[in-house]
Amino acid sequence: MDSIPGLLADPAAWAALVTLIVMEVVLGIDNLIFISILSNKLPEGERQKARRLGIGLALVMRLALLSMIAWIVGLTAPVFNLGLAGGPGPHGEPTFETQFSWRDLILIAGGLFLVWKATKEIHHNVDQHDGSDDLLDKGKAGAIGFGAAIVQILLLDMVFSIDSILTAVGMTEHLPIMVTAVIVAVAVMLFAADPLANFINKNPTVVMLALGFLLMIGAVLIADGFGVHVPKGYIYTAMAFSAGVEILNIVARRRRERRAGH
């Protein structure tokens, strides 16, 4: 076990902690968007409970995985190889590969689930006459059961938790720093969950934007599983830009509505 007083007196440890907290919070955005969209499909009285339970399960899962770091790191070991690879990239590595580890398989499965879920919900929002549930129709908010919502949240928690822990392991070797960063990041998620979910629920156009984010995140997870590493900075910059444009649209729309009301 690392010496806590020694870490407290080490400026490098504090720098690693701050950096890791920021990284964990950013990685948690994906998880939080999914939880917000899914919980908004539940009856209003169950939404907050589902969000808190889902985020609590994410914390439990991350802490449990931190206690099995050696096993988590072992997930990156190759399991099988199909023998296919792309040409060399700018740094000499293949542009894609089919040498899969358990981490790769989990990321691909999680990505496929996200793509399927986002595509299904986009279809329901675009074609509102197919007789299925609709995120924008408040009368059908309870179309998904509480248990089904928690199971789906738990499945995505597992995918995002493994990615989160592997990121933490790659940034520091001190377990107390990892645990602290995970707890702080999940606390931020818990604090932001209700405001984000309520904002999405009150602004139907934001639902489509969030579903587009989930679709993009799923595609990135699949690409990562095949060895195509898309810089996360590009992804989150695009998400921030799109969110900024949508916020401007919401502000402009509300101003028009206020002027029309006078």
Side-chain angles (χ1 to χ4, degrees), residues 34-35 37-47 49-51 53 117 120-121 133 135 140-154:
F34 181 79
I35 290 175
I37 290 179
L38 204 59
S39 63
N40 280 345
K41 296 190 68 178
L42 294 169
E44 191 168 352
E46 296 181 348
R47 293 176 185 177
K49 179 181 177 182
R51 288 192 286 269
L53 182 56
K117 188 67 178 176
K120 177 183 175 184
E121 299 300 347
D133 54 300
L135 283 174
K140 297 180 182 177
I144 185 173
F146 184 84
I150 294 302
V151 169
Q152 292 183 47
I153 290 173
L154 186 60

Side-chain angles (χ1 to χ4, degrees), residues 150-216:
I150 294 302
V151 169
Q152 292 183 47
I153 290 173
L154 186 60
L155 289 174
L156 261 296
D157 277 347
M158 182 182 70
V159 175
F160 289 126
S161 293
I162 290 175
D163 198 27
S164 168
I165 298 307
L166 287 173
T167 299
V169 171
M171 293 186 66
T172 181
E173 59 183 12
H174 302 295
L175 185 60
I177 291 178
M178 298 181 204
V179 172
T180 303
V182 165
I183 292 175
V184 171
V186 173
V188 171
M189 288 173 60
L190 190 60
F191 177 78
D194 288 343
L196 177 62
N198 292 334
F199 178 75
I200 290 175
N201 193 48
K202 291 176 182 177
N203 297 276
T205 55
V206 177
V207 176
M208 290 298 290
L209 184 63
L211 289 172
F213 289 163
L214 290 181
L215 196 61
M216 180 170 60

Side-chain angles (χ1 to χ4, degrees), residues 86-96:
H91 302 291
E93 76 286 356
T95 52
F96 77 91

Side-chain angles (χ1 to χ4, degrees), residues 18-255:
V18 172
T19 304
L20 190 54
I21 288 175
V22 173
M23 287 294 297
E24 292 292 330
V25 169
V26 171
L27 290 173
I29 292 173
D30 308 343
N31 207 170
L32 195 55
I33 291 174
F34 181 79
I35 290 175
S36 298
I37 290 179
L38 204 59
S39 63
N40 280 345
K41 296 190 68 178
L42 294 169
E44 191 168 352
E46 296 181 348
R47 293 176 185 177
Q48 186 180 68
K49 179 181 177 182
R51 288 192 286 269
R52 292 183 176 178
L53 182 56
I55 294 172
L57 289 172
L59 175 60
V60 171
M61 193 168 295
R62 282 164 168 76
L63 293 178
L65 291 175
L66 279 172
S67 68
M68 301 181 290
I69 286 182
W71 177 74
I72 291 296
V73 173
L75 292 177
T76 60
V79 177
F80 64 91
N81 189 351
L82 299 180
L84 302 175
H91 302 291
E93 76 286 356
T95 52
F96 77 91
E97 58 185 357
T98 55
Q99 177 175 275
F100 298 105
S101 64
W102 283 114
R103 171 188 176 273
D104 296 330
L105 297 176
I106 291 171
L107 289 181
I108 291 171
L112 289 172
F113 176 75
L114 268 184
V115 169
W116 169 76
K117 188 67 178 176
T119 302
K120 177 183 175 184
E121 299 300 347
I122 289 172
H123 171 71
H124 289 167
N125 279 278
V126 172
D127 184 5
Q128 299 186 19
H129 304 289
D130 63 354
S132 56
D133 54 300
D134 183 313
L135 283 174
L136 304 181
D137 187 347
K138 306 299 186 296
K140 297 180 182 177
I144 185 173
F146 184 84
I150 294 302
V151 169
Q152 292 183 47
I153 290 173
L154 186 60
L155 289 174
L156 261 296
D157 277 347
M158 182 182 70
V159 175
F160 289 126
S161 293
I162 290 175
D163 198 27
S164 168
I165 298 307
L166 287 173
T167 299
V169 171
M171 293 186 66
T172 181
E173 59 183 12
H174 302 295
L175 185 60
I177 291 178
M178 298 181 204
V179 172
T180 303
V182 165
I183 292 175
V184 171
V186 173
V188 171
M189 288 173 60
L190 190 60
F191 177 78
D194 288 343
L196 177 62
N198 292 334
F199 178 75
I200 290 175
N201 193 48
K202 291 176 182 177
N203 297 276
T205 55
V206 177
V207 176
M208 290 298 290
L209 184 63
L211 289 172
F213 289 163
L214 290 181
L215 196 61
M216 180 170 60
I217 293 164
V220 170
L221 289 176
I222 295 170
D224 199 359
F226 280 93
V228 181
H229 303 294
V230 181
K232 295 291 178 63
Y234 295 158
I235 302 300
Y236 292 116
T237 299
M239 290 171 64
F241 179 79
S242 299
V245 171
E246 183 59 29
I247 288 173
L248 292 176
N249 287 333
I250 291 172
V251 171
R253 185 165 59 248
R254 288 180 178 175
R255 285 180 177 176

